[in-house]
Amino acid sequence: MKKLTNVLLIAMILIMVFPFFYAISASFFSAADFTTYPAKILPSKLNFSNYLKVFNHKYFTTYLVNSIITGFTGTLLRLIIAFLSSYAFSHYKFKGKDFLFSILVLTLFIPSDLLLVENYITIQRLKLTDTYLGIISTSLLGASQIFILRQFMLTIPKDIFESALLDGASDRKYIFSILLPLSKAILVTLSLQSFVNIFNSYLWPLLVTNKPKMRTVQVGITMLGFSESLSYGPTLAAIILLFIPFTILFIIFKKSILKALERGYLYI
C-alpha cells in the first residue's frame, strides 16, 4: 500500500510539473519544431532567438512596467484597506457590524464576471479607462483578505489591546508597535497572493485599456503578434520570463508563507 501511494504521488507530481517543463522546453523551439509530427518534447537545438524577440519587442518593457506598477499599487492599497477594515471589525463594536461583515463575506460568492459590465460602465463614466487607477479599481476591496485578517486579529488576546489603551496608546501606536509586527507573516503571504492575482489579471485590464502603452503584460503577451506565423516560442519565452520573478519571491518569503500556513491563518 505504501509503494502504491508513493507511485501515485510521483505520478501526480509528474503531471503537475510536465506543463512547466514543456513550457521551458518549447520556449527554445524553432518555428519548425511546432509543426513536426509527432510532436516534439525537446527542441531540436537550443534557440535563444525567442527570448531576443521578446526583449526587442517595442512594447514588452512597457507592458511589464505597467504590470509592476499596477501590481504593487493595487496590492498596497488593497492591504491597507483590508488591514484597517479588519481592525475595525475585530477591535470595535458598532451598530450593524455583524450585518456589514456578513454582506462582505457574501460578496465572495458573487462571480466577478457578473459585475463586469456594470464595473466597466462605471469606470468609463468616471473617465478612468487607460489609467492605472482604472486597472486596479476592481481589486482594491479584497473581501477574502479582510476575512482572513479579521480571523487572525480575533486570535490576539484582547488584554493586549486594552492594556495598550490604558497606557495611553492611540490606535496608530497600537497598530504600528504591536499589531503590525504580530501580523508580519500573514501580511507578507497576503501581499504575495494579491500581487500575483493583480499581476496575472487578464480580462479586466483588457477591457479598460485601449492604448498599447497602457496595457499590462498579460494582455500584451497575447498581442505580441508571434502566433500569426505559428511560432509560439516567443510567447512561451515571455511566459517563462514572467514566471522567474514569482519563483524568486516565493523562495525569499517561503518561511513567512509556511509560518502562516502552519499557524492556520491561511488554507490551501
PDB file of all heavy atoms in Angstrom, residues 88-122:
ATOM      1  N   ALA A  88     -11.129  47.324  12.404  1.00  0.00           N
ATOM      2  CA  ALA A  88     -12.402  47.850  12.905  1.00  0.00           C
ATOM      3  C   ALA A  88     -13.358  46.710  13.246  1.00  0.00           C
ATOM      4  O   ALA A  88     -14.029  46.736  14.287  1.00  0.00           O
ATOM      5  CB  ALA A  88     -13.030  48.768  11.862  1.00  0.00           C
ATOM      6  N   PHE A  89     -13.431  45.695  12.384  1.00  0.00           N
ATOM      7  CA  PHE A  89     -14.353  44.571  12.610  1.00  0.00           C
ATOM      8  C   PHE A  89     -13.953  43.722  13.811  1.00  0.00           C
ATOM      9  O   PHE A  89     -14.816  43.100  14.438  1.00  0.00           O
ATOM     10  CB  PHE A  89     -14.423  43.678  11.368  1.00  0.00           C
ATOM     11  CG  PHE A  89     -15.340  44.188  10.290  1.00  0.00           C
ATOM     12  CD1 PHE A  89     -14.845  44.433   9.014  1.00  0.00           C
ATOM     13  CD2 PHE A  89     -16.681  44.425  10.543  1.00  0.00           C
ATOM     14  CE1 PHE A  89     -15.683  44.907   8.017  1.00  0.00           C
ATOM     15  CE2 PHE A  89     -17.526  44.906   9.554  1.00  0.00           C
ATOM     16  CZ  PHE A  89     -17.031  45.145   8.283  1.00  0.00           C
ATOM     17  N   SER A  90     -12.678  43.686  14.147  1.00  0.00           N
ATOM     18  CA  SER A  90     -12.215  42.806  15.221  1.00  0.00           C
ATOM     19  C   SER A  90     -12.008  43.514  16.561  1.00  0.00           C
ATOM     20  O   SER A  90     -12.052  42.869  17.607  1.00  0.00           O
ATOM     21  CB  SER A  90     -10.899  42.135  14.812  1.00  0.00           C
ATOM     22  OG  SER A  90      -9.902  43.112  14.546  1.00  0.00           O
ATOM     23  N   HIS A  91     -11.807  44.832  16.549  1.00  0.00           N
ATOM     24  CA  HIS A  91     -11.460  45.524  17.785  1.00  0.00           C
ATOM     25  C   HIS A  91     -12.547  46.465  18.304  1.00  0.00           C
ATOM     26  O   HIS A  91     -12.469  46.903  19.451  1.00  0.00           O
ATOM     27  CB  HIS A  91     -10.170  46.335  17.595  1.00  0.00           C
ATOM     28  CG  HIS A  91      -8.935  45.497  17.554  1.00  0.00           C
ATOM     29  ND1 HIS A  91      -8.587  44.728  16.458  1.00  0.00           N
ATOM     30  CD2 HIS A  91      -7.952  45.295  18.473  1.00  0.00           C
ATOM     31  CE1 HIS A  91      -7.453  44.102  16.706  1.00  0.00           C
ATOM     32  NE2 HIS A  91      -7.038  44.426  17.918  1.00  0.00           N
ATOM     33  N   TYR A  92     -13.529  46.778  17.493  1.00  0.00           N
ATOM     34  CA  TYR A  92     -14.534  47.748  17.927  1.00  0.00           C
ATOM     35  C   TYR A  92     -15.950  47.206  17.754  1.00  0.00           C
ATOM     36  O   TYR A  92     -16.196  46.312  16.934  1.00  0.00           O
ATOM     37  CB  TYR A  92     -14.383  49.055  17.142  1.00  0.00           C
ATOM     38  CG  TYR A  92     -13.189  49.867  17.559  1.00  0.00           C
ATOM     39  CD1 TYR A  92     -12.007  49.836  16.817  1.00  0.00           C
ATOM     40  CD2 TYR A  92     -13.226  50.650  18.715  1.00  0.00           C
ATOM     41  CE1 TYR A  92     -10.904  50.566  17.205  1.00  0.00           C
ATOM     42  CE2 TYR A  92     -12.124  51.392  19.108  1.00  0.00           C
ATOM     43  CZ  TYR A  92     -10.980  51.339  18.353  1.00  0.00           C
ATOM     44  OH  TYR A  92      -9.875  52.057  18.752  1.00  0.00           O
ATOM     45  N   LYS A  93     -16.842  47.752  18.547  1.00  0.00           N
ATOM     46  CA  LYS A  93     -18.253  47.424  18.438  1.00  0.00           C
ATOM     47  C   LYS A  93     -19.002  48.633  17.887  1.00  0.00           C
ATOM     48  O   LYS A  93     -18.847  49.738  18.409  1.00  0.00           O
ATOM     49  CB  LYS A  93     -18.827  47.047  19.809  1.00  0.00           C
ATOM     50  CG  LYS A  93     -18.244  45.754  20.403  1.00  0.00           C
ATOM     51  CD  LYS A  93     -18.871  45.437  21.750  1.00  0.00           C
ATOM     52  CE  LYS A  93     -18.293  44.151  22.336  1.00  0.00           C
ATOM     53  NZ  LYS A  93     -18.883  43.839  23.671  1.00  0.00           N
ATOM     54  N   PHE A  94     -19.776  48.413  16.867  1.00  0.00           N
ATOM     55  CA  PHE A  94     -20.589  49.494  16.310  1.00  0.00           C
ATOM     56  C   PHE A  94     -21.855  48.891  15.706  1.00  0.00           C
ATOM     57  O   PHE A  94     -21.914  47.694  15.389  1.00  0.00           O
ATOM     58  CB  PHE A  94     -19.810  50.295  15.260  1.00  0.00           C
ATOM     59  CG  PHE A  94     -19.180  49.472  14.173  1.00  0.00           C
ATOM     60  CD1 PHE A  94     -19.878  49.161  13.014  1.00  0.00           C
ATOM     61  CD2 PHE A  94     -17.870  49.008  14.302  1.00  0.00           C
ATOM     62  CE1 PHE A  94     -19.301  48.411  12.011  1.00  0.00           C
ATOM     63  CE2 PHE A  94     -17.289  48.257  13.299  1.00  0.00           C
ATOM     64  CZ  PHE A  94     -18.002  47.958  12.150  1.00  0.00           C
ATOM     65  N   LYS A  95     -22.832  49.714  15.544  1.00  0.00           N
ATOM     66  CA  LYS A  95     -24.137  49.253  15.078  1.00  0.00           C
ATOM     67  C   LYS A  95     -24.037  48.695  13.657  1.00  0.00           C
ATOM     68  O   LYS A  95     -23.488  49.322  12.764  1.00  0.00           O
ATOM     69  CB  LYS A  95     -25.138  50.416  15.110  1.00  0.00           C
ATOM     70  CG  LYS A  95     -26.580  49.992  14.873  1.00  0.00           C
ATOM     71  CD  LYS A  95     -27.521  51.171  15.045  1.00  0.00           C
ATOM     72  CE  LYS A  95     -28.963  50.735  14.832  1.00  0.00           C
ATOM     73  NZ  LYS A  95     -29.914  51.882  15.003  1.00  0.00           N
ATOM     74  N   GLY A  96     -24.598  47.509  13.499  1.00  0.00           N
ATOM     75  CA  GLY A  96     -24.618  46.882  12.182  1.00  0.00           C
ATOM     76  C   GLY A  96     -23.320  46.200  11.796  1.00  0.00           C
ATOM     77  O   GLY A  96     -23.149  45.833  10.621  1.00  0.00           O
ATOM     78  N   LYS A  97     -22.413  46.006  12.751  1.00  0.00           N
ATOM     79  CA  LYS A  97     -21.112  45.419  12.428  1.00  0.00           C
ATOM     80  C   LYS A  97     -21.256  44.003  11.861  1.00  0.00           C
ATOM     81  O   LYS A  97     -20.684  43.693  10.810  1.00  0.00           O
ATOM     82  CB  LYS A  97     -20.223  45.385  13.675  1.00  0.00           C
ATOM     83  CG  LYS A  97     -18.827  44.837  13.398  1.00  0.00           C
ATOM     84  CD  LYS A  97     -17.956  44.827  14.636  1.00  0.00           C
ATOM     85  CE  LYS A  97     -18.314  43.662  15.547  1.00  0.00           C
ATOM     86  NZ  LYS A  97     -17.333  43.492  16.634  1.00  0.00           N
ATOM     87  N   ASP A  98     -22.009  43.162  12.545  1.00  0.00           N
ATOM     88  CA  ASP A  98     -22.177  41.782  12.095  1.00  0.00           C
ATOM     89  C   ASP A  98     -22.886  41.716  10.741  1.00  0.00           C
ATOM     90  O   ASP A  98     -22.556  40.881   9.896  1.00  0.00           O
ATOM     91  CB  ASP A  98     -22.952  40.970  13.139  1.00  0.00           C
ATOM     92  CG  ASP A  98     -22.176  40.804  14.436  1.00  0.00           C
ATOM     93  OD1 ASP A  98     -20.924  40.875  14.383  1.00  0.00           O
ATOM     94  OD2 ASP A  98     -22.794  40.620  15.484  1.00  0.00           O
ATOM     95  N   PHE A  99     -23.866  42.604  10.543  1.00  0.00           N
ATOM     96  CA  PHE A  99     -24.603  42.622   9.268  1.00  0.00           C
ATOM     97  C   PHE A  99     -23.675  43.030   8.124  1.00  0.00           C
ATOM     98  O   PHE A  99     -23.665  42.393   7.060  1.00  0.00           O
ATOM     99  CB  PHE A  99     -25.776  43.592   9.364  1.00  0.00           C
ATOM    100  CG  PHE A  99     -26.513  43.770   8.064  1.00  0.00           C
ATOM    101  CD1 PHE A  99     -27.369  42.777   7.602  1.00  0.00           C
ATOM    102  CD2 PHE A  99     -26.341  44.917   7.300  1.00  0.00           C
ATOM    103  CE1 PHE A  99     -28.044  42.930   6.397  1.00  0.00           C
ATOM    104  CE2 PHE A  99     -27.013  45.082   6.104  1.00  0.00           C
ATOM    105  CZ  PHE A  99     -27.867  44.084   5.653  1.00  0.00           C
ATOM    106  N   LEU A 100     -22.871  44.065   8.341  1.00  0.00           N
ATOM    107  CA  LEU A 100     -21.940  44.516   7.311  1.00  0.00           C
ATOM    108  C   LEU A 100     -20.899  43.447   6.986  1.00  0.00           C
ATOM    109  O   LEU A 100     -20.555  43.239   5.813  1.00  0.00           O
ATOM    110  CB  LEU A 100     -21.236  45.799   7.767  1.00  0.00           C
ATOM    111  CG  LEU A 100     -22.093  47.066   7.816  1.00  0.00           C
ATOM    112  CD1 LEU A 100     -21.302  48.218   8.423  1.00  0.00           C
ATOM    113  CD2 LEU A 100     -22.577  47.435   6.421  1.00  0.00           C
ATOM    114  N   PHE A 101     -20.425  42.769   8.034  1.00  0.00           N
ATOM    115  CA  PHE A 101     -19.431  41.730   7.795  1.00  0.00           C
ATOM    116  C   PHE A 101     -20.044  40.551   7.039  1.00  0.00           C
ATOM    117  O   PHE A 101     -19.394  39.955   6.170  1.00  0.00           O
ATOM    118  CB  PHE A 101     -18.839  41.240   9.117  1.00  0.00           C
ATOM    119  CG  PHE A 101     -17.716  40.267   8.957  1.00  0.00           C
ATOM    120  CD1 PHE A 101     -16.475  40.695   8.520  1.00  0.00           C
ATOM    121  CD2 PHE A 101     -17.904  38.921   9.225  1.00  0.00           C
ATOM    122  CE1 PHE A 101     -15.428  39.792   8.351  1.00  0.00           C
ATOM    123  CE2 PHE A 101     -16.870  38.017   9.063  1.00  0.00           C
ATOM    124  CZ  PHE A 101     -15.631  38.452   8.626  1.00  0.00           C
ATOM    125  N   SER A 102     -21.289  40.232   7.347  1.00  0.00           N
ATOM    126  CA  SER A 102     -21.983  39.145   6.634  1.00  0.00           C
ATOM    127  C   SER A 102     -22.153  39.491   5.157  1.00  0.00           C
ATOM    128  O   SER A 102     -21.948  38.640   4.281  1.00  0.00           O
ATOM    129  CB  SER A 102     -23.352  38.882   7.267  1.00  0.00           C
ATOM    130  OG  SER A 102     -23.214  38.477   8.614  1.00  0.00           O
ATOM    131  N   ILE A 103     -22.529  40.745   4.873  1.00  0.00           N
ATOM    132  CA  ILE A 103     -22.668  41.187   3.482  1.00  0.00           C
ATOM    133  C   ILE A 103     -21.325  41.092   2.769  1.00  0.00           C
ATOM    134  O   ILE A 103     -21.239  40.665   1.606  1.00  0.00           O
ATOM    135  CB  ILE A 103     -23.202  42.630   3.414  1.00  0.00           C
ATOM    136  CG1 ILE A 103     -24.627  42.697   3.965  1.00  0.00           C
ATOM    137  CG2 ILE A 103     -23.159  43.159   1.989  1.00  0.00           C
ATOM    138  CD1 ILE A 103     -25.647  41.912   3.182  1.00  0.00           C
ATOM    139  N   LEU A 104     -20.258  41.473   3.479  1.00  0.00           N
ATOM    140  CA  LEU A 104     -18.917  41.430   2.906  1.00  0.00           C
ATOM    141  C   LEU A 104     -18.530  39.993   2.540  1.00  0.00           C
ATOM    142  O   LEU A 104     -17.990  39.745   1.456  1.00  0.00           O
ATOM    143  CB  LEU A 104     -17.909  42.008   3.896  1.00  0.00           C
ATOM    144  CG  LEU A 104     -16.468  42.143   3.411  1.00  0.00           C
ATOM    145  CD1 LEU A 104     -16.373  43.210   2.332  1.00  0.00           C
ATOM    146  CD2 LEU A 104     -15.549  42.482   4.569  1.00  0.00           C
ATOM    147  N   VAL A 105     -18.817  39.061   3.433  1.00  0.00           N
ATOM    148  CA  VAL A 105     -18.492  37.655   3.173  1.00  0.00           C
ATOM    149  C   VAL A 105     -19.331  37.108   2.019  1.00  0.00           C
ATOM    150  O   VAL A 105     -18.846  36.333   1.190  1.00  0.00           O
ATOM    151  CB  VAL A 105     -18.704  36.808   4.446  1.00  0.00           C
ATOM    152  CG1 VAL A 105     -18.547  35.319   4.142  1.00  0.00           C
ATOM    153  CG2 VAL A 105     -17.722  37.219   5.534  1.00  0.00           C
ATOM    154  N   LEU A 106     -20.581  37.529   1.935  1.00  0.00           N
ATOM    155  CA  LEU A 106     -21.454  37.065   0.854  1.00  0.00           C
ATOM    156  C   LEU A 106     -20.959  37.496  -0.522  1.00  0.00           C
ATOM    157  O   LEU A 106     -21.230  36.823  -1.524  1.00  0.00           O
ATOM    158  CB  LEU A 106     -22.883  37.572   1.073  1.00  0.00           C
ATOM    159  CG  LEU A 106     -23.688  36.883   2.192  1.00  0.00           C
ATOM    160  CD1 LEU A 106     -25.018  37.579   2.393  1.00  0.00           C
ATOM    161  CD2 LEU A 106     -23.907  35.404   1.860  1.00  0.00           C
ATOM    162  N   THR A 107     -20.235  38.609  -0.578  1.00  0.00           N
ATOM    163  CA  THR A 107     -19.706  39.060  -1.873  1.00  0.00           C
ATOM    164  C   THR A 107     -18.680  38.076  -2.440  1.00  0.00           C
ATOM    165  O   THR A 107     -18.413  38.099  -3.645  1.00  0.00           O
ATOM    166  CB  THR A 107     -19.043  40.448  -1.755  1.00  0.00           C
ATOM    167  OG1 THR A 107     -17.935  40.386  -0.829  1.00  0.00           O
ATOM    168  CG2 THR A 107     -20.047  41.479  -1.278  1.00  0.00           C
ATOM    169  N   LEU A 108     -18.127  37.211  -1.577  1.00  0.00           N
ATOM    170  CA  LEU A 108     -17.185  36.199  -2.054  1.00  0.00           C
ATOM    171  C   LEU A 108     -17.857  35.197  -2.978  1.00  0.00           C
ATOM    172  O   LEU A 108     -17.196  34.542  -3.793  1.00  0.00           O
ATOM    173  CB  LEU A 108     -16.551  35.465  -0.868  1.00  0.00           C
ATOM    174  CG  LEU A 108     -15.616  36.275   0.027  1.00  0.00           C
ATOM    175  CD1 LEU A 108     -15.246  35.476   1.265  1.00  0.00           C
ATOM    176  CD2 LEU A 108     -14.360  36.669  -0.739  1.00  0.00           C
ATOM    177  N   PHE A 109     -19.179  35.069  -2.856  1.00  0.00           N
ATOM    178  CA  PHE A 109     -19.914  34.089  -3.650  1.00  0.00           C
ATOM    179  C   PHE A 109     -20.474  34.693  -4.942  1.00  0.00           C
ATOM    180  O   PHE A 109     -21.156  34.000  -5.696  1.00  0.00           O
ATOM    181  CB  PHE A 109     -21.055  33.491  -2.817  1.00  0.00           C
ATOM    182  CG  PHE A 109     -20.582  32.777  -1.588  1.00  0.00           C
ATOM    183  CD1 PHE A 109     -20.539  33.423  -0.359  1.00  0.00           C
ATOM    184  CD2 PHE A 109     -20.160  31.458  -1.655  1.00  0.00           C
ATOM    185  CE1 PHE A 109     -20.091  32.769   0.776  1.00  0.00           C
ATOM    186  CE2 PHE A 109     -19.711  30.791  -0.528  1.00  0.00           C
ATOM    187  CZ  PHE A 109     -19.671  31.446   0.692  1.00  0.00           C
ATOM    188  N   ILE A 110     -20.215  35.968  -5.175  1.00  0.00           N
ATOM    189  CA  ILE A 110     -20.682  36.622  -6.401  1.00  0.00           C
ATOM    190  C   ILE A 110     -19.603  36.483  -7.470  1.00  0.00           C
ATOM    191  O   ILE A 110     -18.477  36.955  -7.275  1.00  0.00           O
ATOM    192  CB  ILE A 110     -20.991  38.112  -6.169  1.00  0.00           C
ATOM    193  CG1 ILE A 110     -22.075  38.268  -5.089  1.00  0.00           C
ATOM    194  CG2 ILE A 110     -21.452  38.773  -7.466  1.00  0.00           C
ATOM    195  CD1 ILE A 110     -22.361  39.715  -4.723  1.00  0.00           C
ATOM    196  N   PRO A 111     -19.887  35.838  -8.597  1.00  0.00           N
ATOM    197  CA  PRO A 111     -18.876  35.719  -9.660  1.00  0.00           C
ATOM    198  C   PRO A 111     -18.452  37.098 -10.156  1.00  0.00           C
ATOM    199  O   PRO A 111     -19.292  37.972 -10.381  1.00  0.00           O
ATOM    200  CB  PRO A 111     -19.622  34.933 -10.757  1.00  0.00           C
ATOM    201  CG  PRO A 111     -20.756  34.259 -10.067  1.00  0.00           C
ATOM    202  CD  PRO A 111     -21.152  35.170  -8.939  1.00  0.00           C
ATOM    203  N   SER A 112     -17.158  37.282 -10.299  1.00  0.00           N
ATOM    204  CA  SER A 112     -16.652  38.591 -10.733  1.00  0.00           C
ATOM    205  C   SER A 112     -17.163  38.967 -12.118  1.00  0.00           C
ATOM    206  O   SER A 112     -17.366  40.146 -12.421  1.00  0.00           O
ATOM    207  CB  SER A 112     -15.115  38.587 -10.724  1.00  0.00           C
ATOM    208  OG  SER A 112     -14.621  37.547 -11.560  1.00  0.00           O
ATOM    209  N   ASP A 113     -17.381  37.971 -12.985  1.00  0.00           N
ATOM    210  CA  ASP A 113     -17.870  38.250 -14.341  1.00  0.00           C
ATOM    211  C   ASP A 113     -19.274  38.847 -14.330  1.00  0.00           C
ATOM    212  O   ASP A 113     -19.668  39.524 -15.281  1.00  0.00           O
ATOM    213  CB  ASP A 113     -17.877  36.971 -15.180  1.00  0.00           C
ATOM    214  CG  ASP A 113     -16.476  36.447 -15.440  1.00  0.00           C
ATOM    215  OD1 ASP A 113     -15.525  37.221 -15.232  1.00  0.00           O
ATOM    216  OD2 ASP A 113     -16.330  35.288 -15.848  1.00  0.00           O
ATOM    217  N   LEU A 114     -20.015  38.585 -13.244  1.00  0.00           N
ATOM    218  CA  LEU A 114     -21.377  39.100 -13.155  1.00  0.00           C
ATOM    219  C   LEU A 114     -21.396  40.626 -13.056  1.00  0.00           C
ATOM    220  O   LEU A 114     -22.343  41.284 -13.492  1.00  0.00           O
ATOM    221  CB  LEU A 114     -22.080  38.486 -11.935  1.00  0.00           C
ATOM    222  CG  LEU A 114     -23.584  38.699 -11.797  1.00  0.00           C
ATOM    223  CD1 LEU A 114     -24.324  37.985 -12.925  1.00  0.00           C
ATOM    224  CD2 LEU A 114     -24.080  38.175 -10.457  1.00  0.00           C
ATOM    225  N   LEU A 115     -20.338  41.195 -12.490  1.00  0.00           N
ATOM    226  CA  LEU A 115     -20.250  42.641 -12.289  1.00  0.00           C
ATOM    227  C   LEU A 115     -19.418  43.328 -13.356  1.00  0.00           C
ATOM    228  O   LEU A 115     -19.192  44.542 -13.282  1.00  0.00           O
ATOM    229  CB  LEU A 115     -19.643  42.930 -10.903  1.00  0.00           C
ATOM    230  CG  LEU A 115     -20.351  42.301  -9.706  1.00  0.00           C
ATOM    231  CD1 LEU A 115     -19.541  42.546  -8.443  1.00  0.00           C
ATOM    232  CD2 LEU A 115     -21.758  42.853  -9.549  1.00  0.00           C
ATOM    233  N   LEU A 116     -18.982  42.574 -14.335  1.00  0.00           N
ATOM    234  CA  LEU A 116     -18.035  43.094 -15.318  1.00  0.00           C
ATOM    235  C   LEU A 116     -18.598  44.289 -16.089  1.00  0.00           C
ATOM    236  O   LEU A 116     -17.944  45.328 -16.224  1.00  0.00           O
ATOM    237  CB  LEU A 116     -17.649  41.979 -16.289  1.00  0.00           C
ATOM    238  CG  LEU A 116     -16.303  42.103 -16.991  1.00  0.00           C
ATOM    239  CD1 LEU A 116     -15.168  42.172 -15.980  1.00  0.00           C
ATOM    240  CD2 LEU A 116     -16.100  40.930 -17.937  1.00  0.00           C
ATOM    241  N   VAL A 117     -19.824  44.154 -16.580  1.00  0.00           N
ATOM    242  CA  VAL A 117     -20.424  45.208 -17.402  1.00  0.00           C
ATOM    243  C   VAL A 117     -20.649  46.471 -16.584  1.00  0.00           C
ATOM    244  O   VAL A 117     -20.310  47.589 -17.015  1.00  0.00           O
ATOM    245  CB  VAL A 117     -21.742  44.724 -18.029  1.00  0.00           C
ATOM    246  CG1 VAL A 117     -22.419  45.863 -18.791  1.00  0.00           C
ATOM    247  CG2 VAL A 117     -21.497  43.551 -18.967  1.00  0.00           C
ATOM    248  N   GLU A 118     -21.230  46.318 -15.385  1.00  0.00           N
ATOM    249  CA  GLU A 118     -21.506  47.477 -14.536  1.00  0.00           C
ATOM    250  C   GLU A 118     -20.215  48.168 -14.114  1.00  0.00           C
ATOM    251  O   GLU A 118     -20.147  49.406 -14.080  1.00  0.00           O
ATOM    252  CB  GLU A 118     -22.296  47.046 -13.296  1.00  0.00           C
ATOM    253  CG  GLU A 118     -23.736  46.625 -13.580  1.00  0.00           C
ATOM    254  CD  GLU A 118     -24.558  47.764 -14.165  1.00  0.00           C
ATOM    255  OE1 GLU A 118     -24.312  48.926 -13.794  1.00  0.00           O
ATOM    256  OE2 GLU A 118     -25.429  47.493 -15.008  1.00  0.00           O
ATOM    257  N   ASN A 119     -19.202  47.383 -13.788  1.00  0.00           N
ATOM    258  CA  ASN A 119     -17.915  47.980 -13.414  1.00  0.00           C
ATOM    259  C   ASN A 119     -17.308  48.762 -14.576  1.00  0.00           C
ATOM    260  O   ASN A 119     -16.764  49.860 -14.385  1.00  0.00           O
ATOM    261  CB  ASN A 119     -16.940  46.889 -12.963  1.00  0.00           C
ATOM    262  CG  ASN A 119     -17.270  46.334 -11.592  1.00  0.00           C
ATOM    263  OD1 ASN A 119     -17.939  46.991 -10.798  1.00  0.00           O
ATOM    264  ND2 ASN A 119     -16.809  45.137 -11.318  1.00  0.00           N
ATOM    265  N   TYR A 120     -17.424  48.196 -15.764  1.00  0.00           N
ATOM    266  CA  TYR A 120     -16.865  48.878 -16.934  1.00  0.00           C
ATOM    267  C   TYR A 120     -17.597  50.188 -17.220  1.00  0.00           C
ATOM    268  O   TYR A 120     -16.969  51.212 -17.513  1.00  0.00           O
ATOM    269  CB  TYR A 120     -16.935  47.966 -18.162  1.00  0.00           C
ATOM    270  CG  TYR A 120     -16.422  48.637 -19.422  1.00  0.00           C
ATOM    271  CD1 TYR A 120     -15.059  48.823 -19.624  1.00  0.00           C
ATOM    272  CD2 TYR A 120     -17.314  49.120 -20.385  1.00  0.00           C
ATOM    273  CE1 TYR A 120     -14.585  49.453 -20.767  1.00  0.00           C
ATOM    274  CE2 TYR A 120     -16.849  49.756 -21.521  1.00  0.00           C
ATOM    275  CZ  TYR A 120     -15.489  49.922 -21.711  1.00  0.00           C
ATOM    276  OH  TYR A 120     -15.022  50.561 -22.821  1.00  0.00           O
ATOM    277  N   ILE A 121     -18.929  50.155 -17.111  1.00  0.00           N
ATOM    278  CA  ILE A 121     -19.714  51.373 -17.342  1.00  0.00           C
ATOM    279  C   ILE A 121     -19.341  52.453 -16.331  1.00  0.00           C
ATOM    280  O   ILE A 121     -19.195  53.633 -16.669  1.00  0.00           O
ATOM    281  CB  ILE A 121     -21.225  51.054 -17.264  1.00  0.00           C
ATOM    282  CG1 ILE A 121     -21.632  50.166 -18.456  1.00  0.00           C
ATOM    283  CG2 ILE A 121     -22.053  52.339 -17.261  1.00  0.00           C
ATOM    284  CD1 ILE A 121     -23.055  49.663 -18.373  1.00  0.00           C
ATOM    285  N   THR A 122     -19.163  52.029 -15.074  1.00  0.00           N
ATOM    286  CA  THR A 122     -18.784  52.978 -14.020  1.00  0.00           C
ATOM    287  C   THR A 122     -17.425  53.604 -14.299  1.00  0.00           C
ATOM    288  O   THR A 122     -17.265  54.830 -14.216  1.00  0.00           O
ATOM    289  CB  THR A 122     -18.749  52.265 -12.654  1.00  0.00           C
ATOM    290  OG1 THR A 122     -20.029  51.693 -12.385  1.00  0.00           O
ATOM    291  CG2 THR A 122     -18.392  53.245 -11.547  1.00  0.00           C
TER     292      THR A 122
END
